Amino acid sequence: MIDPLAEVVTLLQPTARYTKVVNGAGRWGVRRTDVAQPFYCAVMEGCCRLTIDGFAPLLLRQGDFVLLPAASDFTMTSAELPSPAHFAIAPVTQPDGEIRSGEQHGPADVRLLIGHCVFASPDAGLLVSLLPQQIHVRGESRLATLVQLVGDEWRARRPAREVILARLLEVLLIEALRSSDGTAATPGLIAGLADERLAVALRQMHGDITRSWTMAELAKAAAMSRSAFFERFSRAMGVAPMAYLLAWRMARAKRLLLGEESVASVAEQTGYRSASAFSVAFSRYVGIAPTRFASLSQPQPEDTVFPQPDTI
């Protein structure tokens, strides 16, 4: 049976843009309001504070991992709270390539692996909306190992680096999501899969997307009445069952169209009885016809230069 969580992450098509090591000493602070890409941070040594707009501050310790699937403004500081004057001191790139915040001499109090990635999926907004806004994992050795592999692969610049990084990021995202604690209260796929009854229906939907599912069939799979299933699914997922199924079919259709599948083939693989029925549904949902979408959305060549910003 298809794992919905793994399928969402795979469809997101995560790609590394850059990864860097940041260290700090003394009191320091960095405020970022221009973060345009998903952000992750792993604490390799020491501790620091991370405050993401809209969330309570986090005291991060060695072994902690934080993932923000969507762009968010945040503040990162030393564990000892800095004064406003400390925010005016810009980080400095050291001879070894690490970024230093705070005092420029002496041993570091904290060392972080920080990175940004992009989601190449044409439906990234939909897919990210199914994930928690903030994921904080503490004390998971498997995640620490994966993060270290990402850092090593980035620095080594060996052949096929982008392919390896893409696969590592997929595994990293899945591991972070399934290891996350306390995120089930946030509406989305994690909350849905945390509910044993809803998880059955979700796996069946993902496992047989071509089936003409009805509300009665999905409710039966979850061993619930239709009204109870509708209310429970909508509350946990943040969207009604049939709306979720339609959105997922359209996300799958976009991926297939970008792979140069014919409209008839995409219709068959997403549960539509004819190419015309699929075209009508796709045009209504996306706003343009499938053939037009495919011609406008051909992937562009990846940049060959990967910037290494001097700040977090």
Side-chain angles (χ1 to χ4, degrees):
M1 178 95 42
I2 291 177
D3 183 342
L5 182 57
E7 194 173 17
V8 166
V9 175
T10 300
L11 279 183
L12 275 171
Q13 302 173 57
T15 304
R17 299 309 292 169
Y18 61 83
T19 298
K20 59 189 174 181
V21 176
V22 175
N23 67 65
R27 291 197 291 172
W28 53 272
V30 176
R31 170 70 176 166
R32 286 288 164 262
T33 59
D34 56 353
V35 181
Q37 297 171 345
F39 169 82
Y40 61 88
C41 170
V43 183
M44 298 187 289
E45 300 173 11
C47 60
C48 66
R49 292 182 187 274
L50 176 65
T51 303
I52 301 155
D53 285 10
F55 294 90
L58 294 173
L59 178 61
L60 303 180
R61 303 184 180 91
Q62 183 173 338
D64 282 15
F65 179 83
V66 174
L67 170 67
L68 306 182
S72 300
D73 297 342
F74 66 85
T75 301
M76 185 168 281
T77 72
S78 52
E80 184 180 358
L81 292 176
S83 68
H86 290 102
F87 284 87
I89 303 174
V92 176
T93 302
Q94 298 180 306
D96 60 4
E98 293 191 13
I99 311 299
R100 178 69 170 240
S101 293
E103 297 175 4
Q104 295 299 309
H105 303 286
D109 299 325
V110 62
R111 181 165 278 104
L112 314 167
L113 181 66
I114 287 175
H116 291 272
C117 58
V118 294
F119 298 138
S121 169
D123 246 347
L126 164 69
L127 299 170
V128 168
S129 73
L130 298 175
L131 305 178
Q133 294 174 283
Q134 171 187 285
I135 298 161
H136 177 208
V137 183
R138 172 160 287 165
E140 287 288 338
S141 59
R142 287 167 58 88
L143 267 176
T145 300
L146 286 168
V147 169
Q148 187 62 53
L149 286 172
V150 170
D152 291 346
E153 189 63 35
W154 181 264
R155 287 187 292 269
R157 294 183 176 270
R158 292 185 287 259
R161 180 184 63 158
E162 282 71 34
V163 175
I164 298 298
L165 282 171
R167 298 299 178 268
L168 284 174
L169 278 170
E170 284 185 7
V171 177
L172 184 64
L173 287 174
I174 294 172
E175 189 66 32
L177 288 164
R178 72 180 185 179
S179 300
S180 59
D181 182 28
T183 57
T186 304
L189 188 60
I190 300 296
L193 291 174
D195 185 310
E196 292 184 0
R197 293 192 178 186
L198 296 182
V200 174
L202 281 165
R203 290 192 173 94
Q204 291 205 15
M205 271 194 276
H206 281 256
D208 192 0
I209 197 173
T210 63
R211 181 171 173 176
S212 298
W213 290 104
T214 66
M215 185 71 70
E217 289 172 328
L218 293 172
K220 183 178 180 180
M224 302 171 68
S225 68
R226 281 182 291 180
S227 59
F229 173 74
F230 179 89
E231 192 279 331
R232 191 156 159 177
F233 188 102
S234 300
R235 184 177 64 250
M237 297 289 293
V239 64
M242 304 315 289
Y244 174 81
L245 181 59
L246 173 62
W248 189 248
R249 281 176 169 154
M250 292 298 110
R252 179 82 68 84
K254 288 179 181 179
R255 176 74 176 272
L256 293 170
L257 288 167
L258 291 179
E260 300 184 354
E261 295 267 2
S262 68
V263 173
S265 175
V266 175
E268 182 180 355
Q269 294 180 65
T270 52
Y272 289 88
R273 294 181 178 179
S274 67
S276 60
F278 166 71
S279 295
V280 169
F282 187 93
S283 300
R284 184 183 298 119
Y285 186 87
V286 179
I288 57 175
T291 51
R292 181 65 173 160
F293 171 84
S295 64
L296 291 176
S297 305
Q298 290 303 312
Q300 299 299 312
E302 286 291 327
D303 297 334
T304 56
V305 178
F306 293 86
Q308 294 283 347
D310 292 336
T311 56
I312 293 174

